[in-house]
Amino acid sequence: MQKSTKVFGLTLLSCMVVACSNPAKYSGIATELAPAPVSTANFGADRFRKLIAPTAYVAVMPSIERPRLEQNTEKYQKNEVNPVHRVADDAISTFSIDVDTGSYTNTRRYLNDGRLPPVDAIRAEEMINYFDYQYPQPNSVHPFSVTTETVDSPWKERAKLIKIGIQAKDLSTKQLPPANLVFLVDVSGSMSAEDKLPLVKQTLRILTEQLRPQDKVTIITYASGEKLVLEPTSGEQKDKILRVINQLQAGGATAGEQAIQLAYKEAEKAFVKNGINRILLATDGDFNVGITDFNTLKGMVAEKRKSGISLTTLGYGTGNYNEELMEQIADAGDGNYSYIDNKNEAKKVVQRQLSSTLATVAQDVKIQVEFNPATVKEYRLVGYENRMLKQEDFNNDKVDAGDIGAGHNVTAIYEIIPVGQQGWLNDSRYQAPIKSDTAKKSEYAFVNLRYKLPNQEKSILLSQAVNVKSKTLAQANNDTRFAIAVASYAQQLKGGQYNGAMGWDQIIQLAQQSAKPDPYQMREEFIDLAKIAKSLSAKQN
């Protein structure tokens, strides 16, 4: 080994390099001693940093130049793309609702850094559900509305796309019940980079400013050990809460399991009956002390959710980011997962979407779609690969599923092959064609939803037919066309297996044609990201 070796932009002497068996944990040292210069180059067009808030935009934010790591230890769950199903063999599709959005922002981080994301980082449903769609507000006894629309598929000739849209009832901040919040903050050495703990502190400051007198906050930090740094404190005492947040500093290893246990213990002490009881875990997910086994951590959180306390994960950083852990423990904890790559995203998650982030209007929401063999030959579900359920799970109220927050909307897209059209699968040589009653040919499918009202044990059923009628893609509303553009983008980033002749140019064009309304410039940003992805994809060819 040479007398000096450059690691993360920091010159280390002699054999000290050998000690860095996990370079990601030491990235903060380089950041602290040799701060990275501020640059906007990595983020493309200025519009990327326009303020996502109810007031129009402000000046462009400078980007955070992240320290380059020698070893990338980021972890993603491997999910195979949903297969095509023959209706004659398997007419029923069942899955859990998902309102996570982390895959979109994590992918944005990769593209802004000039890299294509790993295919396992792409989850189509989180891309689609990142955006707001103008679905009708519920006007019945149910806490959400359900709408469907069927259009010609741009991916496969003579195929159709069925879009299912769910809109949860909205609640203003004033309508939210009292909140008991526990901020669980990773302050280990790996969190010292500019896109980690400093950004966590910005996020918590934004959330603190939204607190009301009836809300209370507890703050727990963890590194080599866990520490209660703020007892339950009323939202009226914002200065006291902010002082604690501002004093947070990074250093030490990461012992997350005991900290999660302490967070639940403190949340139980301050429990608010009929209120919001939630832990917000802010970390890069790099647990390396204590229980580090993924299934053990997930099982512990799943058991703790029975106490009525949910767990939301806020992910940060690069290089050692454990996305698999962040997404899965949020799901197990009846919370939601967001990846925060800049201050504007923090505003979106904890300011503009505060009610949906914190207040649940429906729990254990499951969708089951039964396709009509008289009208549908084949189908496939876009995304939701790690949310699939068994058919018998739908009616089993003991089986956990996703929750919907106030104001959330959720979108699912199926691609179907109508009877009589050539699909992905060859016709069976020996299986006799299905003979059906003409009266049953008026429906493509029947959509069933099951959900529980908060803190209830028995589920409620909501059903709706999908009639045999469709539009051309050009006739569909802007929301449907934009959702299809985002689904196409996700599929293209995973290799484009089901995109047919639809390439980057067609994806960008469809997004441009359906980009309005766009009050927070989110769709405009998406178009720029698709252009970056096109450029990076071309470089790889």
Side-chain angles (χ1 to χ4, degrees):
M1 184 179 293
Q2 296 178 351
K3 279 292 180 185
S4 65
T5 306
K6 189 120 175 175
V7 179
F8 313 144
L10 175 68
T11 300
L12 302 179
L13 297 177
S14 190
C15 297
M16 287 178 65
V17 176
V18 178
C20 292
S21 60
N22 185 357
K25 302 301 294 182
Y26 294 86
S27 63
I29 299 173
T31 306
E32 184 176 342
L33 298 182
V38 173
S39 166
T40 56
N42 288 343
F43 283 86
D46 285 355
R47 60 177 60 97
F48 279 10
R49 292 298 170 260
K50 290 172 183 173
L51 181 63
I52 300 175
T55 56
Y57 8 117
V58 296
V60 177
M61 280 182 57
S63 73
I64 297 167
E65 188 163 304
R66 302 178 179 92
R68 290 289 181 186
L69 302 177
E70 283 193 344
Q71 180 183 359
N72 189 318
T73 60
E74 295 192 14
K75 296 177 182 177
Y76 297 94
Q77 181 182 26
K78 185 170 182 60
N79 291 299
E80 299 295 335
V81 174
N82 281 329
V84 171
H85 295 273
R86 196 190 308 271
V87 175
D89 301 330
D90 185 9
I92 296 176
S93 171
T94 310
F95 65 97
S96 164
I97 213 69
D98 185 19
V99 294
D100 294 342
T101 60
S103 179
Y104 179 84
T105 46
N106 189 39
T107 296
R108 178 174 67 193
R109 179 255 299 187
Y110 270 96
L111 295 176
N112 284 338
D113 281 351
R115 298 176 293 159
L116 288 171
V119 293
D120 290 332
I122 308 301
R123 289 185 295 279
E125 72 280 4
E126 294 186 22
M127 303 274 188
I128 298 167
N129 290 328
Y130 180 81
F131 297 92
D132 295 327
Y133 303 103
Q134 303 304 308
Y135 298 143
Q137 283 289 319
N139 57 4
S140 68
V141 296
H142 301 287
F144 47 78
S145 65
V146 181
T147 56
T148 64
E149 186 174 19
T150 304
V151 302
D152 293 342
S153 173
W155 305 327
K156 186 170 180 61
E157 190 175 3
R158 291 183 289 276
K160 306 284 184 185
L161 297 183
I162 297 175
K163 185 196 72 171
I164 302 170
I166 299 172
Q167 176 64 57
K169 68 178 180 182
D170 209 353
L171 295 174
S172 67
T173 303
K174 292 180 180 178
Q175 294 175 297
L176 294 178
N180 163 35
L181 306 178
V182 176
F183 297 166
L184 179 55
V185 185
D186 182 351
V187 293
S188 62
S190 69
M191 290 292 291
S192 60
E194 282 299 310
D195 59 346
K196 293 188 180 182
L197 187 58
L199 191 51
V200 171
K201 291 160 74 170
Q202 287 184 329
T203 306
L204 298 183
R205 289 187 199 109
I206 294 167
L207 180 52
T208 299
E209 294 297 340
Q210 313 304 308
L211 296 174
R212 306 158 301 172
Q214 62 267 42
D215 302 327
K216 51 189 172 183
V217 167
T218 303
I219 301 180
I220 296 171
T221 61
Y222 66 96
S224 299
E226 61 283 352
K227 184 177 181 182
L228 176 63
V229 295
L230 181 70
E231 298 274 358
T233 301
S234 166
E236 200 167 26
Q237 297 180 275
K238 289 183 175 58
D239 289 344
K240 181 178 179 181
I241 299 170
L242 291 171
R243 275 198 302 273
V244 173
I245 292 170
N246 292 335
Q247 291 171 2
L248 298 177
Q249 294 183 336
T254 316
E257 183 264 338
Q258 288 294 330
I260 294 175
Q261 293 274 19
L262 179 59
Y264 277 106
K265 180 180 176 182
E266 293 299 324
E268 288 167 3
K269 284 183 183 178
F271 191 86
V272 177
K273 189 176 181 181
N274 299 321
I276 297 169
N277 295 278
R278 187 172 295 249
I279 297 166
L280 291 97
L281 170 61
T283 178
D284 57 14
D286 188 18
F287 294 178
N288 54 28
V289 175
I291 295 178
T292 58
D293 177 71
F294 170 74
N295 289 322
T296 302
L297 285 165
K298 184 177 174 182
M300 180 192 74
V301 171
E303 181 64 28
K304 290 290 187 181
R305 70 168 176 247
K306 298 174 183 177
S307 64
I309 299 164
S310 56
L311 184 145
T312 281
T313 57
L314 305 175
Y316 297 83
T318 63
N320 64 331
Y321 184 56
N322 190 340
E323 202 241 23
E324 178 184 17
L325 176 69
M326 298 297 286
E327 191 233 358
Q328 290 290 295
I329 65 172
D331 293 345
D334 280 347
N336 43 293
Y337 156 62
S338 299
Y339 178 82
I340 297 181
D341 56 343
N342 58 56
K343 186 177 179 180
N344 288 340
E345 187 63 24
K347 285 179 176 286
K348 174 179 180 290
V349 172
V350 299
Q351 183 183 65
R352 186 163 65 81
Q353 295 182 338
L354 179 67
S355 58
S356 55
T357 300
L358 298 181
T360 299
V361 298
Q363 295 180 314
D364 291 342
V365 183
K366 307 169 189 174
I367 297 180
Q368 186 167 83
V369 180
E370 181 179 0
F371 290 95
N372 182 1
T375 57
V376 179
K377 179 181 174 185
E378 299 164 18
Y379 70 90
R380 68 180 188 92
L381 174 61
V382 179
Y384 294 93
E385 282 86 0
N386 64 357
R387 296 298 191 121
M388 301 308 295
L389 298 173
K390 299 174 184 176
Q391 182 177 337
E392 60 268 27
D393 291 342
F394 184 72
N395 292 324
N396 187 348
D397 286 348
K398 297 294 184 182
V399 174
D400 182 62
D403 297 353
I404 296 181
H408 262 144
N409 49 53
V410 182
T411 301
I413 296 174
Y414 282 95
E415 187 171 28
I416 66 167
I417 304 296
V419 167
Q421 304 296 339
Q422 178 61 48
W424 300 279
L425 307 174
N426 290 329
D427 291 335
S428 173
R429 178 181 177 89
Y430 300 106
Q431 189 177 61
I434 296 173
K435 295 180 180 180
S436 60
D437 187 340
T438 305
K440 294 181 179 178
K441 291 188 176 182
S442 63
E443 296 174 357
Y444 277 135
F446 199 67
V447 179
N448 292 301
L449 283 94
R450 277 204 177 277
Y451 69 93
K452 297 173 187 171
L453 293 173
N455 304 314
Q456 298 298 309
E457 296 295 326
K458 188 171 177 58
S459 66
I460 299 169
L461 178 65
L462 172 61
S463 302
Q464 185 170 316
V466 180
N467 294 324
V468 175
K469 60 179 182 180
S470 66
K471 305 173 182 177
T472 65
L473 186 59
Q475 293 173 325
N477 65 49
N478 276 3
D479 276 350
T480 296
R481 290 189 294 147
F482 188 79
I484 292 170
V486 178
S488 305
Y489 163 87
Q491 291 184 152
Q492 196 74 0
L493 286 170
K494 286 185 81 74
Q497 176 183 357
Y498 288 109
N499 270 2
M502 191 174 191
W504 285 116
D505 287 338
Q506 292 79 16
I507 293 168
I508 293 165
Q509 183 181 41
L510 181 59
Q512 289 171 331
Q513 293 170 347
S514 56
K516 302 298 181 182
D518 189 22
Y520 306 116
Q521 290 70 55
M522 292 165 63
R523 297 187 182 190
E524 186 179 346
E525 178 196 65
F526 169 80
I527 293 167
D528 285 328
L529 291 177
K531 290 177 179 178
I532 294 172
K534 174 191 172 184
S535 172
L536 294 173
S537 298
K539 289 178 183 177
Q540 289 198 348
N541 294 336

